[in-house]
Amino acid sequence: MLELMKPVLDPQNTCIVSKTVFEKTPIRAIFGGQLRSKIMRAVDVSTVNIQLFLTMQLNVDRVKMIRETLETLVNKEHLEGLTSPNMNEVVQAWQQLILDVLPVILILHLKFLDFKPDGCTKIINALEFPVNLEIESRLSSKSQTPEGRNYKLFAVVYHVGDKATRGHYFTDAFQMEHACWLRFDDATVRTITEQQVLQPQDTQVPYLLFYRRGILSGGIFDV
């Protein structure tokens, strides 16, 4: 269930803010974050749209590290053909995203499978991703504490194969009780090294990265 709130002027009278409010659920409490999308015009008040995300989609083409994909996500982007509602003419405008609220479990969806109207291709790119991930303060809201911006990798879903339309998926997951990584590949489960997790081989690419904030204790998340 969702409700679109009426746009309001922020207390500083600097922008108009609209927000979609979702019903509180356990799924949203664990996986839900918020993106703040701000459109700035050369004239007029800026507009801000706050929206929920459960997975963060990141472009991986022409980047080498996760940090670069996050920086690309929040880079200021020039908008073409945007009009001023007051002047009714095209004006210069820019859009910028910021990570407004970070979730307990951060799921990064790496767009190695590139879907286009004329077909789907796979991007095979050696992308570096860390076990310990810090979301830099300049990428997130000022309300995020340093502790709230630190994450630890606990699972990876990979796609293997040189084609986007076919291939094989398997998962690596960190087993906390024995402090080791396990690879789940169909009916096979075996222990692997951290290096094997972080350095995929051949056509193997990370498709989903699961990061947790805080620690797991007694089946609940301490944050």
Side-chain angles (χ1 to χ4, degrees), residues 7-23:
V8 296
L9 196 63
D10 77 329
Q12 288 76 37
N13 296 327
T14 58
C15 61
I16 297 174
V17 180
S18 60
K19 182 177 181 180
T20 303
V21 179
F22 288 79
E23 180 183 6

Side-chain angles (χ1 to χ4, degrees), residues 24-33 52-55 101-107 151 154 210-213 216 219-223:
K24 292 183 178 180
T25 66
I27 294 294
R28 186 189 170 196
I30 297 173
F31 301 99
L52 172 74
F53 72 86
L54 296 176
T55 62
V101 175
L102 293 169
V104 176
I105 298 295
L106 176 64
I107 304 176
Y151 288 86
F154 72 93
F210 293 80
Y211 284 91
R212 61 177 173 83
R213 188 181 69 203
L216 280 169
I220 61 173
F221 288 96
D222 294 331
V223 295

Side-chain angles (χ1 to χ4, degrees), residues 83-110:
T83 60
S84 163
N86 295 325
M87 302 171 59
N88 197 29
E89 62 181 38
V90 175
V91 296
Q92 285 193 330
W94 301 264
Q95 181 179 32
Q96 186 168 28
L97 292 177
I98 192 168
L99 307 177
D100 197 46
V101 175
L102 293 169
V104 176
I105 298 295
L106 176 64
I107 304 176
L108 303 182
H109 174 195
L110 307 179

Side-chain angles (χ1 to χ4, degrees), residues 113 120-122 124 159-168 203:
L113 306 183
C120 181
T121 58
K122 179 177 179 179
I124 300 178
H159 179 269
V160 183
D162 57 359
K163 303 292 184 182
T165 53
R166 61 179 181 268
H168 179 65
T203 63

Side-chain angles (χ1 to χ4, degrees), residues 15-208:
C15 61
I16 297 174
V17 180
S18 60
K19 182 177 181 180
T20 303
V21 179
F22 288 79
E23 180 183 6
K24 292 183 178 180
T25 66
I27 294 294
R28 186 189 170 196
I30 297 173
F31 301 99
Q34 289 183 358
L35 284 174
R36 178 183 292 259
S37 174
K38 186 175 184 179
I39 294 179
M40 300 153 282
R41 297 178 177 85
V43 296
D44 299 330
V45 175
S46 299
T47 57
V48 170
N49 181 36
I50 299 175
Q51 51 192 308
L52 172 74
F53 72 86
L54 296 176
T55 62
M56 186 182 298
Q57 295 191 346
L58 299 174
N59 291 317
V60 298
D61 195 19
R62 295 187 296 275
V63 296
K64 296 297 181 183
M65 296 182 290
I66 284 294
R67 176 179 54 81
E68 294 177 82
T69 68
L70 292 169
E71 290 174 351
T72 301
L73 179 71
V74 301
N75 280 345
K76 187 182 291 186
E77 178 185 0
H78 186 261
L79 300 177
E80 299 286 349
L82 206 65
T83 60
S84 163
N86 295 325
M87 302 171 59
N88 197 29
E89 62 181 38
V90 175
V91 296
Q92 285 193 330
W94 301 264
Q95 181 179 32
Q96 186 168 28
L97 292 177
I98 192 168
L99 307 177
D100 197 46
V101 175
L102 293 169
V104 176
I105 298 295
L106 176 64
I107 304 176
L108 303 182
H109 174 195
L110 307 179
K111 298 169 67 176
F112 280 100
L113 306 183
D114 188 17
F115 295 90
K116 295 180 179 178
D118 58 346
C120 181
T121 58
K122 179 177 179 179
I123 301 170
I124 300 178
N125 179 15
L127 181 73
E128 294 182 21
F129 55 96
V131 169
N132 297 299
L133 175 66
E134 179 185 2
I135 306 297
E136 296 182 31
S137 58
R138 62 189 181 87
L139 307 180
S140 62
S141 168
K142 294 180 180 179
S143 64
Q144 298 293 329
T145 63
E147 295 79 9
R149 293 186 281 103
N150 286 299
Y151 288 86
K152 195 172 189 70
L153 184 72
F154 72 93
V156 185
V157 176
Y158 302 94
H159 179 269
V160 183
D162 57 359
K163 303 292 184 182
T165 53
R166 61 179 181 268
H168 179 65
Y169 291 92
F170 66 87
T171 301
D172 291 344
F174 187 75
Q175 214 285 339
M176 296 192 67
E177 182 179 357
H178 300 290
C180 67
W181 283 92
L182 298 177
R183 176 158 294 177
F184 298 84
D185 190 351
D186 291 338
T188 302
V189 180
R190 62 185 177 92
T191 58
I192 59 170
T193 65
E194 185 177 284
Q195 183 177 3
Q196 288 175 288
V197 176
L198 300 178
Q199 297 181 356
Q201 301 297 315
D202 301 323
T203 63
Q204 174 187 336
V205 296
Y207 187 59
L208 294 172

